Amino acid sequence: MEFTSAEGQERWADLVRVASRVVVGLDFDGTLSPIVEDPEAAHIHPDAGAVIVELARQVRAVAVITGRPARQVLDLGGLEEVGDSLSEAGADLFVFGQYGNERWSTTHRRIVSPRPPRGLASFERELPGVLRRADAGDAWVEDKGLAVAVHTRRLAEPEAAFQRLLPAIGDLAKRHDLLVEPGRQVIEVRSGGMHKGLAVRALVEELDAGGFLFAGDDLGDLEAFEAVAELRGDGLPTVLVCSASEEESALVDRSDVVVKGPDGVLELLRRLTAEARSS
């Protein structure tokens, strides 16, 4: 792990001092799991479950906050089994799916979810025409129930296709009162009213958090970063972590710590666990 500044190192020390009241928020793709061509094969890092269990015993709670559906993350991450281990230890794990629209926890072990947004069905009907006109008809369209994601990773020129599609999909989404969330060679369209930043704030308020660490990897985590920065301005000890890669580094300049992908994230979480235990 690499601190981006002396201030970042000081923020880490401040967070460790209040570790027992800290909430740790983690993105999934690119943070706990590697980025792969088939998102349905993006299983959590094999060491992540054990690392989360040890960490959760030292902090107030651990939360996975992701754009994926909660059920998908629970399955890909084996997080229900992780939750079983944490329940026995009296520790809490939360999963916020679809940017916070869905919620699961070790206390309430069912997924709470709203209805799909208005306009999403109409958007989906018109989407194939937009893809064809952008010469991206073979892009993979993922129906998430509360959102639609268009993946260009499998195309011959994924980044060029992404750049062509982003404004076109943005125009279509706007006509149906939907929001666009760009990520790593994926464009997600969903309803407004909820985002990762609101999930961060909900956790802080509900758990009376005394500190917050958030780790993410791309622009889909930007609102969470902004919420944590605002909490810092209110006096809460915070640390922002970028899980950087060769293809995505948008959050580096906003971060206190930069690590290399899921391996680096787990190294950081192990360090936090060890320093919290000895403090």
Side-chain angles (χ1 to χ4, degrees), residues 186-225:
V186 59
I187 304 166
E188 188 156 327
V189 175
R190 60 184 176 86
S191 64
M194 189 62 187
H195 53 70
K196 290 186 179 184
L198 293 177
V200 166
R201 286 196 167 275
L203 284 165
V204 169
E205 292 173 9
E206 292 175 25
L207 300 176
D208 190 25
F212 204 100
L213 179 148
F214 185 84
D217 73 307
D218 65 13
L219 291 174
D221 299 305
L222 183 57
E223 286 162 324
F225 267 54

Side-chain angles (χ1 to χ4, degrees), residues 46 70 72 74 83 120 122 130 136 157-158 176 196 206 256 260 264:
Q72 197 176 70
L74 288 166
L120 191 62
S122 299
V130 171
E157 297 181 344
H176 294 287
K196 290 186 179 184
E206 292 175 25
D256 301 304
K260 293 183 179 179

Side-chain angles (χ1 to χ4, degrees), residues 79-111:
L79 294 180
E80 286 178 299
E81 291 78 8
V82 173
D84 291 339
S85 299
L86 292 180
S87 293
E88 295 171 3
D92 291 324
L93 174 68
F94 295 83
V95 174
F96 285 82
Q98 305 221 35
Y99 296 90
N101 279 303
E102 297 178 328
R103 179 170 176 159
W104 177 95
S105 71
T106 48
T107 303
H108 303 288
R109 300 182 68 115
R110 64 184 183 89
I111 298 170

Side-chain angles (χ1 to χ4, degrees), residues 49-217:
V51 171
I52 289 172
V53 168
E54 291 303 311
L55 173 64
R57 291 172 174 158
Q58 303 300 322
V59 298
R60 178 67 183 85
V62 177
V64 178
I65 307 173
T66 174
R68 282 183 181 266
R71 169 47 55 194
Q72 197 176 70
V73 169
L74 288 166
D75 293 342
L76 289 171
L79 294 180
E80 286 178 299
E81 291 78 8
V82 173
D84 291 339
S85 299
L86 292 180
S87 293
E88 295 171 3
D92 291 324
L93 174 68
F94 295 83
V95 174
F96 285 82
Q98 305 221 35
Y99 296 90
N101 279 303
E102 297 178 328
R103 179 170 176 159
W104 177 95
S105 71
T106 48
T107 303
H108 303 288
R109 300 182 68 115
R110 64 184 183 89
I111 298 170
V112 178
S113 175
R115 294 181 178 180
R118 291 182 179 181
L120 191 62
S122 299
F123 172 88
E124 287 190 83
R125 285 195 296 270
E126 297 178 37
L127 180 59
V130 171
L131 298 181
R132 287 193 300 270
R133 288 191 291 275
D135 193 24
D138 292 332
W140 179 45
V141 177
E142 179 186 8
D143 186 342
K144 296 186 173 184
L146 300 179
V148 173
V150 179
H151 299 264
T152 65
R153 184 172 295 274
R154 299 177 183 176
L155 299 179
E157 297 181 344
E159 189 58 33
F162 176 89
Q163 296 299 333
R164 290 197 305 273
L165 281 172
L166 186 57
I169 289 177
D171 290 342
L172 179 60
K174 186 176 181 179
R175 292 202 298 273
H176 294 287
D177 295 321
L178 300 168
L179 295 181
V180 172
E181 195 80 54
R184 290 199 206 180
Q185 296 174 358
V186 59
I187 304 166
E188 188 156 327
V189 175
R190 60 184 176 86
S191 64
M194 189 62 187
H195 53 70
K196 290 186 179 184
L198 293 177
V200 166
R201 286 196 167 275
L203 284 165
V204 169
E205 292 173 9
E206 292 175 25
L207 300 176
D208 190 25
F212 204 100
L213 179 148
F214 185 84
D217 73 307

